[in-house]
Amino acid sequence: MLIGAVVNRSERKKTEILAAARGVFLREGYTAAGMETVARMAGVSTATLYAYFPSKAKLFEIIVYDAVQHMAEPVRASVRAKGDARARLTSLALAYAALMSQPATRAMFRMIASERRRFEALADHALKGAHKALGGTAIGLIEDLVASGELATDRPAAAAGQLLGMLEHATLMLGLAAGDEARPARPLRDIAEEAVETFLARYGV
């Protein structure tokens, strides 16, 4: 019981450090972020921080991997919605638009892109992982709707790219151009429903 409590406390502390480090890296960028700042924000000593993470580079890598792993969870959950093609696609589109409108999502993509030269393999893995998780979810839904006879396409990957691209233009690209906190002029539901309507005009049966 005592060992379990120690392990749980250690994992909890590690989670707290990662949360603090994520905020520092997203706010200051990799170069300007200091391990001392991370330790202070996490409420631990620098020695404790290095006991968990031996270097700033390793901490950065873990943060990026963790972000990619968890980023797609709301989008994956959205495809469990019930209903016809319009309802299910709208659920996906709304979850995706919400994700791409979050300042943290935009900041993460911006940070990964800006550090590509220093962490090329990590950047490639992160972007490919995000594409596979997010795009793969959309492809799976479209394939399901093709199988049920509600959509017609022999290129589900291309169709998924078109749907997500319409959503990214009004959400992610806006943030990258106007700042992470920039909000779309229209409600996210309107953006999602319009994208789905355009998509169904092309692929709906």
Side-chain angles (χ1 to χ4, degrees):
M1 185 68 176
L2 181 59
I3 294 176
V6 171
V7 171
N8 289 338
R9 186 163 59 249
S10 177
E11 285 301 311
R12 189 163 55 248
K13 181 58 65 178
K14 182 177 180 180
T15 299
E16 292 170 355
I17 292 172
L18 286 173
R22 186 181 304 109
V24 173
F25 280 124
L26 291 179
R27 184 173 62 253
E28 301 183 12
Y30 177 81
T31 301
M35 292 293 270
E36 296 81 5
T37 303
V38 172
R40 185 170 64 253
M41 296 300 293
V44 300
S45 67
T46 305
T48 298
L49 174 59
Y50 278 109
Y52 280 92
F53 305 99
S55 68
K56 184 167 79 167
K58 187 63 177 177
L59 178 58
F60 180 75
E61 290 177 4
I62 292 172
I63 286 171
V64 172
Y65 281 123
D66 183 68
V68 171
Q69 180 180 354
H70 292 96
M71 181 180 293
E73 288 179 358
V75 178
R76 289 195 191 102
S78 72
V79 301
R80 294 197 288 269
K82 304 297 183 182
D84 60 9
R86 177 175 279 99
R88 298 181 68 192
L89 288 166
T90 299
S91 176
L92 169 76
L94 188 56
Y96 191 80
L99 174 65
M100 293 303 164
S101 295
Q102 292 177 9
T105 301
R106 295 161 168 178
M108 182 61 68
F109 278 124
R110 192 193 305 279
M111 183 175 68
I112 291 171
S114 67
E115 295 299 332
R116 170 174 289 280
R117 184 171 297 181
R118 193 192 311 267
F119 297 96
E120 184 174 358
L122 175 63
D124 286 342
H125 173 84
L127 295 176
K128 288 178 182 176
H131 180 268
K132 181 178 180 180
L134 297 168
T137 299
I139 292 169
L141 175 58
I142 290 170
E143 289 176 339
D144 188 38
L145 292 172
V146 168
S148 67
E150 296 176 81
L151 296 180
T153 177
D154 57 0
R155 299 176 62 204
Q162 291 170 3
L163 175 60
L164 300 185
M166 287 188 284
L167 298 165
E168 288 168 4
H169 178 75
T171 55
L172 177 63
M173 297 308 297
L174 169 67
L176 295 180
D180 297 336
E181 302 290 340
R183 300 296 302 170
R186 294 177 295 150
L188 293 182
R189 177 161 290 278
D190 289 354
I191 293 171
E193 290 178 350
E194 182 178 301
V196 169
E197 199 64 36
T198 302
F199 184 82
L200 288 174
R202 171 65 178 83
Y203 297 108
V205 174

